[in-house]
Amino acid sequence: GAVVSQHPSRVICKSGTSVKIECRSLDFQATTMFWYRQFPKQSLMLMATSNEGSKATYEQGVEKDKFLINHASLTLSTLTVTSAHPEDSSFYICSVKRGGRNMNTEAFFGQGTRLTVV
Amino acid sequence: EDQVTQSPEALRLQEGESSSLNCSYTVSGLRGLFWYRQDPGKGPEFLFTLYSAGEEKEKERLKATLTKKESFLHITAPKPEDSATYLCAVQERWGEQFYFGTGTSLTVIP
């Protein structure tokens, strides 16, 4: 069964509005979750690392104020795309890592969210 | 800088025609190398984790191997349902981030 649940799978919004994407870890508590963005026929690009109870760590070039991340519990992280524009249209994927920092780890991915901004 | 390169970019096989996908990597220290399958419009599905050179893992028609510089995903007698994009990712020893390749798009023709 699914280890990670991501919702919604598809969303269409008007330019200027905000969209929230949820990522839930179903099988275990996750102190760290990752948010990726994927353009057609390209690899996953890490946007930010979401840490439970603290501020997210953003990759270079990712606007913190535009992509708001909240990791309020050990099983839920949310990504909010604020004031969305057509160029934000993309496939967003969350990932949950099993295992502690010094343990062998595996990453499990959500189903992804296709965001279309019109 | 850490880097993951996958080849070929795309591969078309006849059903039953075995082949291999390559993932070359450069990291300062490897914690693990991961293979994922991704179907269109879906998130990546975990296949294998390899931790040390010489390690091999198998699952149905897939077999993953690892050396100090690269990993191979061998597909034996593929079926049309094996058609997907196969992603390789590495995790460095001292970090948490996964570095992904751009994937190999596999099409198996009946």
Side-chain angles (χ1 to χ4, degrees), chain A residues 32 34 36 38 43-44 46 59 91 93 97 101 103-107 109-111, chain B residues 31 34 36 38 41-44 46 49 51 87 91 94 96-98 100-102:
Chain A
T32 305
F34 304 90
Y36 295 85
Q38 188 177 37
S43 183
L44 283 73
L46 181 65
E59 295 301 300
F91 192 56
I93 304 174
K97 183 178 74 69
R101 186 175 181 84
M103 296 171 57
N104 292 330
T105 59
E106 297 172 353
F109 292 83
Q111 304 93 321
Chain B
R31 175 182 292 188
F34 305 81
Y36 295 88
Q38 186 175 24
K42 301 286 183 60
F46 172 75
T49 309
Y51 296 110
L87 293 168
Q91 187 180 32
W94 306 115
E96 294 192 333
Q97 183 179 341
F98 288 77
F100 281 87
T102 52

Side-chain angles (χ1 to χ4, degrees), chain A residues 30-51:
Chain A
T31 56
T32 305
M33 294 185 180
F34 304 90
W35 287 97
Y36 295 85
R37 182 172 180 176
Q38 188 177 37
F39 292 101
K41 296 186 178 181
Q42 293 190 24
S43 183
L44 283 73
M45 300 297 295
L46 181 65
M47 298 175 62
T49 302
S50 172
N51 302 297

Side-chain angles (χ1 to χ4, degrees), chain A residues 17-78:
Chain A
T17 62
S18 296
V19 173
K20 181 184 284 188
I21 303 170
E22 292 187 350
C23 179
R24 293 183 182 275
S25 176
L26 302 179
D27 281 6
F28 52 88
Q29 295 180 331
T31 56
T32 305
M33 294 185 180
F34 304 90
W35 287 97
Y36 295 85
R37 182 172 180 176
Q38 188 177 37
F39 292 101
K41 296 186 178 181
Q42 293 190 24
S43 183
L44 283 73
M45 300 297 295
L46 181 65
M47 298 175 62
T49 302
S50 172
N51 302 297
E52 188 270 335
S54 63
K55 292 183 179 180
T57 303
Y58 289 82
E59 295 301 300
Q60 191 173 8
V62 178
E63 299 177 57
K64 301 178 183 181
D65 295 332
K66 182 166 189 62
F67 298 99
L68 299 179
I69 292 174
N70 184 290
H71 193 157
S73 77
L74 288 171
T75 59
L76 175 64
S77 176
T78 61

Side-chain angles (χ1 to χ4, degrees), chain B residues 26-106:
Chain B
T26 54
V27 291
S28 55
L30 180 70
R31 175 182 292 188
L33 185 142
F34 305 81
W35 282 99
Y36 295 88
R37 170 189 170 131
Q38 186 175 24
D39 292 299
K42 301 286 183 60
E45 175 188 343
F46 172 75
L47 292 174
F48 303 109
T49 309
L50 301 167
Y51 296 110
S52 57
E55 188 175 2
E56 298 182 353
K57 288 191 177 176
E58 289 188 64
K59 179 180 179 180
E60 296 180 352
R61 294 179 291 281
L62 300 176
K63 179 181 177 180
T65 62
L66 180 66
T67 71
K68 289 185 177 180
K69 298 289 185 183
E70 59 190 350
S71 175
F72 291 94
L73 183 65
H74 307 278
I75 302 177
T76 302
K79 297 181 178 181
E81 52 262 42
D82 295 323
S83 297
T85 295
Y86 291 85
L87 293 168
C88 166
V90 298
Q91 187 180 32
E92 60 181 0
R93 189 181 305 280
W94 306 115
E96 294 192 333
Q97 183 179 341
F98 288 77
Y99 298 92
F100 281 87
T102 52
T104 293
S105 176
L106 173 66

